[in-house]
Structures are given as C-alpha cells and as structure tokens.
Amino acid sequence: MNVDADRRSPPCALVIFGASGDLTARKLLPALERLSGYGALPPEVALVGVARTPMTDAEFGDLCRRNVPGPVEPRWKELAATARYVHGGYDDPATYQRLAEVMAECDHRHGTAGNRVYYLATPPRLFGPIAISLGKAGLSTPAGDGFVRAVVEKPFGWDEASARGLYAELSSAFSEEQIFRIDHYLAKETVQNLLALRFANSIFEPIWNRTWVDNVQITVAETLGVGERGGFYETTGAMRDIVQNHVLQVLSLFLMEPPTSFHAEAIRDEKVKLLRAIQPLDDEAEIAANAVRGQYTRGGTRDDLMRGYRDEPGVDPLSATETFVAMRLEVQNWRWTGVPVYVRTGKRLPARVTEVAMEFRRPPQLPLFPGTAERLDPDALIVRVQPDEGLSLRFGAKVPGHAFRVQKASMDFSYESFEEQSPDAYERVILDALIGDPTLFIRADEVGRSWRIVDPVMQCWAADDRPIPLYQAATWGPPEATAMIARDGRSWRHSS
Ligand code: BG6
C-alpha cells in the first residue's frame, strides 16, 4: 500500500509511555512497522520509549524488531536502531528531565523540530499523573509553530464524575485540541464507510429516517471470553468496555445529521448532538424494561467446552460483572423519534460479528402475497463492520416458478472487491495523531454525554442484589434479552 503525500508524518518525536507493555508490543509496534513500510514515517520521525522496566536503548530497539511479524521493513530497522529509551517512574521528575534531554537530542540528530506526540499506552490510572508531570516539566507546550499532542486510549474514566476528573488532570497540561482520545472502532474501514455510504450517495439519505425505518440494531458480538484479562474485566464489564464507547460511537455516526463539512469539528458536533438526543433511562422501571445484563456460564460443545466467566482466571467466583448487555434506546429528534435502537454486545456469543442493521417498515398492504409479510424478515440494510466487511441490502424477491412465492434475497457488496487492503485500525489512528487530524478521535463532550447515557443503568445494576441473569457460553445472551425485544413484536437479527 502507498500512502498519499499528505498522509505522511511531519517531523516528530513519537514518545510511547508504557513502552515495555502489552499494548505497545501487540498493537503499536506492528502498526508502526507497517506505517514505516508505506513510507509514512520519514527520517525526521524518531521513536522514544518510556517505561519503568530497566532497558537500554539497544534493548528497546531489539524489542521493536522482535515484536513485528514477518520480514522487517528497512525503515523500521533504521527506526528501531535509532530508538531511544527512558527508564523511570512516571511520577519521578527525573524521568521527565531525562526525557527532555533525549527529545532535544532527537531534534538535533533527526530533525524532529521540537514536535512531540506522547502516546499513553499505560494503565488508565496513570494518564492523569503522566499528563500532570509532563505539564510541570514544561513538556506539554509546543515550541513556536510546532505541535505537542497526547494520545490516550479508552476507558476515559469510570463514570461521568471520574471522566470529569481525568479531563481536569489532562487539561492541566494540554488544551482540548492537543488531546487525542482513541476509540479504535472509529478507525475501522467499514465504520468510516458509514460516512461514504450516507453522504457520498444520494439514494440512502431519503430513506434514513422514521418514515422508512422501523428499527435499528447494533450488534458487537464476540466469541472470545475474557481470557487473561479477567482482573481488568471484573472492574469494567461489558457496559464500560464496549457500550459506553464503541457502540455509542458507531451509533452516533450511523444516525447523526449530515455534517456541514467533513471537518473534524463539524462531524464531532453532529455526533454529540445525536448523543444528546438519546434519552438516558433514568428510573428503575424504565431500566428494568429497556436494559438487560447477563453473564456467561460454562457452555459450548463436548469438543469445545468453554468455562464460565466465574471460572476465568482473575475473576471473583461470585462475580456479578456483566459480560453481556442489551438495551433499547430512543433517539428523540425530528429524524428518529419512535424508532427503537436496539444495541447488544457480549463475550462468548455464538459468532464474532459487528454490524449495524436498519430494518425497514413492512409494506402497508400485501394483497398479492397473502401471509407473506408475516413470514419474511423485514427488508434491511446491513453494514458489516467485521468480519467479511461489507454491505447487504435484504429484500423480498419472487421465487422462480408458477406459484407467486416471495423469498428473501440480498444484494451484497464486499470490501474484498477492492484491490487495496484495509489498514489496521491502529495504523490509522497513529498516523492521524502524527498528522494532527482529530476526526476519528473523541471530544471531551462526547465522552461526558456517553457516560450520562450508561451511568444510570450501571448504578441501578450495582444496587440490584438479585442474581445477574446467566447465559450459556456460545448462546445469544440471557432469555431476558429476547423477551425485551419480543415485547415490541420484533426479534434480534442473528439470534438463531
Ligand atoms: C476492546 C475491548 O476495546 O475492544 C475488548 O476492551 C474487546 O474487550 C475489543 O475484545 C474488541 O475489539 P475488536 O477490534 O477485536 O472488535
């Protein structure tokens, strides 16, 4: 893959905090290696690692080379060979003094021109302290026309109040324009294609409203369990891990009003407006009727028996943490009032699928096909985010033959029809942060509004001492989720 000339990083020192950690090894270094292969990281880009693990520059360079699969790109070899490493505590002023010296050396040797991108690949509790220390050391202020940016990953806080606390800590050193909050779902090719689908075509927008749409369903289903992340997941759960960020971000892009331009602020303004139009489920009765949680138990087949969540390493044997969430939301604005939006996510479901589906209203009358409408699934437009990235339009078609029978047919578009390969989400976000394009990053007001939607439900569940509904691994969640949508006379897609 080649990158466009304007998709090349400007001169910059890319500083990774948490350089010896898991995220760096699994996601960041392989993404950087691929970017270096596309020519996106010119010689004026230098790599600096910061972490508590003692390591020399050469050992860090070696770690960079070791963590990429396959033959290593020549430019990556060069970046790794010149990589610098700062070892020290994240709250120790000496670490930042040393970092300042190393970055000044990079300016001198590589021409990084005083520009810095700090990627905080550390546990979230360190985001605030690192930002404050960078600020105190005078390392968060750009020099002249240059730039200094801080990249942080979700979770952005634990609830609305702690998100506000984190915001205060980050903004003690960085302005909002300098903060790049990652939601890697936004960098997925098909999620971005939502914008092309809606706004680069004229055929979809006229039907994108309550006149034509009966309901919207967003599914983020995973077959994996929590694996080795039990300790983290115990205090997180599916609502914080997936709904508060990935689901609400995809939802807002799918349902927002057309932005006045493709400028980052115009798009983010529309997303936050949409989030504001979602009425939080506030009282207990409303939450009971419109939100379902669940936890997986042992299940699967004799050959592939999967352990229950409470038996996973690092999980409390009496845990009430949810590994499944289903909710019925309403967007109260001119376009969507009266169209339910069903969202569903879970670990250990029968299929790995992330999709957004729009089901259309039934035809008002089907005199030619008595009984057909009830038997057919509704017409639907389905955006498959992963796997098999693509788009399907499902509709009724006549079955060949003498009888007039109607059956579901579909028109499919697959991303495989493009010769170009989709970049990995991390390649996209790292390069955008280096270039300074904030479109795919989340603004502080979006974070706050998303917490406002999920907080009341989580508080209600935390206060509920009834046992959490259970579902067997490799099934589509607890029966309560099916009952919730069935009350509206509808059913989940992929539910059998
Ligand atoms: C992460 C969650 O944000 O997204 C994980 O913390 C989840 O629990 C992952 O598995 C899913 O991402 P993807 O890109 O594999 O769909």
Side-chain angles (χ1 to χ4, degrees):
M1 190 194 299
N2 290 318
V3 284
D4 306 334
D6 62 346
R7 298 281 303 156
R8 246 182 220 125
S9 172
C12 178
L14 173 60
V15 181
I16 302 179
F17 284 86
S20 57
D22 178 59
L23 179 67
T24 305
R26 265 186 321 112
K27 298 285 187 187
L28 306 188
L29 298 178
L32 283 166
E33 192 260 351
R34 284 189 298 271
L35 286 173
S36 66
Y38 310 149
L41 307 178
E44 297 77 26
V45 171
L47 187 62
V48 182
V50 184
R52 281 176 297 209
T53 312
M55 244 191 288
T56 62
D57 289 345
E59 283 165 339
F60 179 54
D62 197 38
L63 185 138
C64 295
R65 275 186 299 267
R66 265 189 289 118
N67 275 292
V68 301
V72 176
E73 290 292 340
R75 170 69 185 124
W76 182 243
K77 277 193 192 144
E78 191 185 307
L79 257 167
T82 54
R84 304 296 305 274
Y85 185 77
V86 177
H87 144 234
Y90 295 120
D91 51 0
D92 182 354
T95 307
Y96 297 86
Q97 206 181 334
R98 177 86 192 106
L99 175 62
E101 288 160 15
V102 165
M103 291 191 301
E105 284 166 30
C106 290
D107 289 342
H108 185 66
R109 277 200 206 147
H110 303 279
T112 46
N115 297 330
R116 282 94 178 83
V117 167
Y118 302 117
Y119 197 121
L120 275 47
T122 59
R125 66 189 153 76
L126 297 172
F127 294 167
I130 292 173
I132 292 170
S133 302
L134 284 166
K136 279 195 190 143
L139 299 179
S140 58
T141 315
D145 294 340
F147 59 83
V148 175
R149 303 184 183 118
V151 181
V152 287
E153 289 248 7
K154 67 145 195 108
F156 311 117
W158 163 261
D159 53 16
E160 194 183 357
S162 58
R164 241 186 271 127
L166 174 61
Y167 177 72
E169 290 177 326
L170 291 175
S171 47
S172 72
F174 298 98
S175 66
E176 180 60 19
E177 290 68 41
Q178 291 179 284
I179 304 171
F180 283 61
R181 296 179 193 81
I182 292 185
D183 183 314
H184 78 281
Y185 263 59
L186 291 181
K188 289 184 190 269
E189 200 71 38
T190 14
V191 173
Q192 289 170 62
N193 189 38
L194 285 176
L195 295 175
L197 174 77
R198 291 192 58 194
F199 308 124
N201 299 294
S202 57
I203 54 171
F204 296 112
E205 202 52 25
I207 54 169
W208 218 263
N209 55 52
R210 67 196 155 84
T211 312
W212 300 99
V213 177
D214 176 76
N215 73 91
V216 173
Q217 296 193 21
I218 299 181
T219 304
V220 178
E222 296 184 87
T223 48
L224 294 177
V226 294
E228 299 305 311
R229 296 165 77 221
F232 154 82
Y233 204 84
E234 262 299 85
T235 53
T236 308
M239 188 73 115
R240 289 190 178 89
D241 192 36
I242 303 278
V243 178
Q244 189 271 341
N245 33 74
H246 304 327
V247 167
L248 291 179
Q249 282 295 316
V250 172
L251 183 156
S252 58
L253 270 184
F254 197 65
L255 301 181
M256 71 183 190
E257 291 302 306
T260 47
S261 76
F262 262 30
H263 188 260
E265 291 318 313
I267 293 178
R268 302 199 293 182
D269 285 348
E270 293 308 334
K271 281 199 296 167
V272 81
K273 257 165 66 186
L274 193 285
L275 292 171
R276 283 197 199 112
I278 297 178
Q279 296 308 307
L281 304 168
D282 267 336
D283 71 67
E284 217 176 292
E286 229 188 354
I287 292 171
N290 297 293
V292 170
R293 58 183 171 149
Q295 188 187 73
Y296 65 83
T297 58
R298 206 159 92 105
T301 58
R302 189 175 286 279
D303 295 335
D304 187 16
L305 198 58
M306 290 166 269
R307 58 160 83 106
Y309 175 70
R310 291 178 190 168
D311 298 325
E312 301 277 17
V315 171
D316 178 351
L318 297 176
S319 170
T321 299
E322 80 285 353
T323 59
F324 175 95
V325 173
M327 283 209 288
R328 179 190 191 282
L329 299 170
E330 282 190 21
V331 178
Q332 299 206 335
N333 65 10
W334 191 272
R335 191 187 283 264
W336 295 118
T337 294
V339 178
V341 181
Y342 303 101
V343 303
R344 186 174 50 154
T345 186
K347 300 252 182 227
R348 285 279 187 240
L349 299 186
R352 175 173 181 253
V353 55
T354 298
E355 64 163 41
V356 191
M358 199 168 240
E359 292 193 337
F360 295 100
R361 289 190 187 282
R362 304 261 182 194
Q365 238 192 343
L366 282 167
L368 280 175
F369 327 113
T372 305
E374 297 71 40
R375 288 200 310 269
L376 281 181
D377 287 341
D379 298 344
L381 180 71
I382 300 135
V383 178
R384 278 189 315 281
V385 174
Q386 62 189 21
D388 311 326
E389 290 80 353
L391 195 76
S392 296
L393 184 63
R394 311 258 305 150
F395 53 92
K398 182 184 171 301
V399 180
H402 295 290
F404 210 114
R405 280 198 301 121
V406 178
Q407 193 178 298
K408 264 300 158 253
S410 92
M411 288 199 295
D412 296 307
F413 154 71
S414 165
Y415 255 78
E416 281 180 2
S417 57
F418 284 112
E419 271 176 24
E420 290 86 350
Q421 294 220 321
S422 302
D424 170 78
Y426 275 88
E427 286 172 40
R428 176 75 204 233
V429 285
I430 294 172
L431 188 54
D432 279 359
L434 289 165
I435 289 171
D437 179 354
T439 314
L440 302 181
F441 297 83
I442 305 177
R443 215 168 53 188
D445 50 356
E446 295 179 68
V447 175
R449 190 60 208 179
S450 303
W451 283 120
R452 175 76 192 85
I453 295 166
V454 302
D455 268 0
V457 181
M458 288 189 307
Q459 282 159 13
C460 181
W461 286 346
D464 187 347
D465 49 18
R466 284 171 301 178
I468 181 168
L470 302 172
Y471 62 100
Q472 266 188 19
T475 65
W476 284 102
E480 287 82 347
T482 315
M484 181 183 85
I485 194 167
R487 272 198 302 275
D488 290 350
R490 300 188 178 96
S491 53
W492 293 104
R493 297 178 41 76
H494 287 291
S495 46
S496 55

